[in-house]
Amino acid sequence: MSADTETTADIDVPPAAPGRLPLLGHAVPLLRNRLEFVERLRTYGPVVRMSVGPKKVTVVNSYELIHEMLTSKSNSFSKGLLGEKLKLFGRSALPVAEGEPHLRRRRLLQPAFHREQISGYVDTMRETVAPSIARWNEGEVLDLKTEMGLMAQDVAMAVLCSFRAEQERAHAILEAVDTVFTAAIWRTMLPVSSLERLPTRSNRRLKAARSLLRSEVADIIAERRANPGVHNDLVTLLLEARDESGAPLPDNEILSEIIGLLAAGSETTGVMLAWLFHELGRHPELERRLHEEVDSVVAQGPITAEHVPRLAFTRRLVSETLRLHHAGWLVTRQATRPVRLGQVSLPAGEQVLWSPYALHRDPDLYPDPLRFDPDRWLPERPQPPRGAFIPFGSGKRMCIGDAFAWTEAVVITAFIASRWRLRPVPGAAVEPVGLLTVHPSDPRMVAETRRAVTGKAA
């Protein structure tokens, strides 16, 4: 019998997290301050049990066991409860597909995300972002979560769909994505399926948001069918794809795939960029070093694919933001068969949680973990052990767009820094808020123009 299918006759039950209330379980701390709660769970051991109402859940805190779950034992786990709720975007999309369908779809989409292909996207990224930041005004107070989310969404739509929505339409799409994400996380935390069918105000908003997303993407597909051969992008790839029998993909699968990838490509990148510029506003010396690098490498010209590898400090800023402000505070898995993790045997059907946010703030893995220090990623500095830094997941379910996201983040950061500096709003108190992603409580910053000065990079 393999290690993944060990008997659970002698189940080693992990310790229960303190603070459980009758009937409610750990729902109160989870709802009151979920980020503090998932970090505190780490102190109770490598694997602990918590409960939400009557439902018991296993929480994995050890980076070794998380890595094992995502890699060597990944065949023993499905995406779990959050993955099920994210099917609100589409039941067959790559981010939520399971098993053989996931593998087939990943192989189909992989060519669009090859590193060589991504280099060719840089010009499109730059040209897509340019109109957005050109609309900023000196002294304007910007909502960075919205601004960066729109930029990331525009880039995803331009690169993957050869499409650019006008401003009002883009805002409506972004708001619809946020509505669906919000519904998914609440349904994960409070999994009472009967409430999902009631005609409540939030359920009506969710229905309208899903309808808007499907309508917008359906229009893109219809336009592409009417004008075949004009574009070479993800929509074209899906329209031309054939299954094992030679039949084209059904329209509902194409819709699901595009909606899922657009949603994934806008929310997390937008939030990460909002945090990055928040940290630059708090650390003028880091902002100065970024400006010096951008001015030296890019100078007065447009940023190109050749510049991206030379923007080493910019990439370290992105890395440190992905560490300290990882967007994911909650990721789920579900055991599909009896499986052992460390000293704990999990039965089939067990719901499992882990938190990239808490993992990346573990003081045993990162010295002074709450300090924003991009130089911790210098090659001569000690690096975290394998599996301890997983900004885009690991194993066969690692985000297919990881290289795309790295490149996009570097390009947008450098492009904004070449023209603007973003200042904190005086008196603003910014705290992390965990919903589907961990975003800043007050994402406002003040735009100030700057002039590039060619100099020596830091």
Side-chain angles (χ1 to χ4, degrees), residues 16 188 198 282 289 306 384 450 455:
T188 300
L198 296 177
R282 295 176 61 234
R289 291 173 63 188
E306 288 71 30
R450 68 173 295 265

Side-chain angles (χ1 to χ4, degrees), residues 22 36 72 80 84 129 147 151 194 242 326 365 381 404 418 429:
E36 179 185 287
S72 63
E84 282 298 312
V129 168
E147 292 289 331
M151 283 188 206
S194 59
R242 297 295 181 267
H326 193 287
L365 302 172
R381 296 267 292 268
F404 182 100
S418 69

Side-chain angles (χ1 to χ4, degrees), residues 377-414:
W377 301 104
L378 285 167
E380 61 267 26
R381 296 267 292 268
Q383 296 299 297
R386 183 179 180 225
F389 180 59
I390 42 177
F392 297 102
S394 185
K396 66 181 183 181
R397 297 216 63 115
M398 183 174 179
C399 175
I400 195 173
D402 64 320
F404 182 100
W406 279 110
T407 301
E408 178 186 16
V410 169
V411 168
I412 293 178
T413 299

Side-chain angles (χ1 to χ4, degrees), residues 43 57 83 134 167 170 188 196 224 275 285 342 382 424 430-431 451:
T43 66
V57 180
Q167 195 171 6
T188 300
E196 298 173 8
R224 195 59 46 80
W275 277 119
E285 175 61 19
V430 179
E431 299 292 338
R451 187 184 301 278

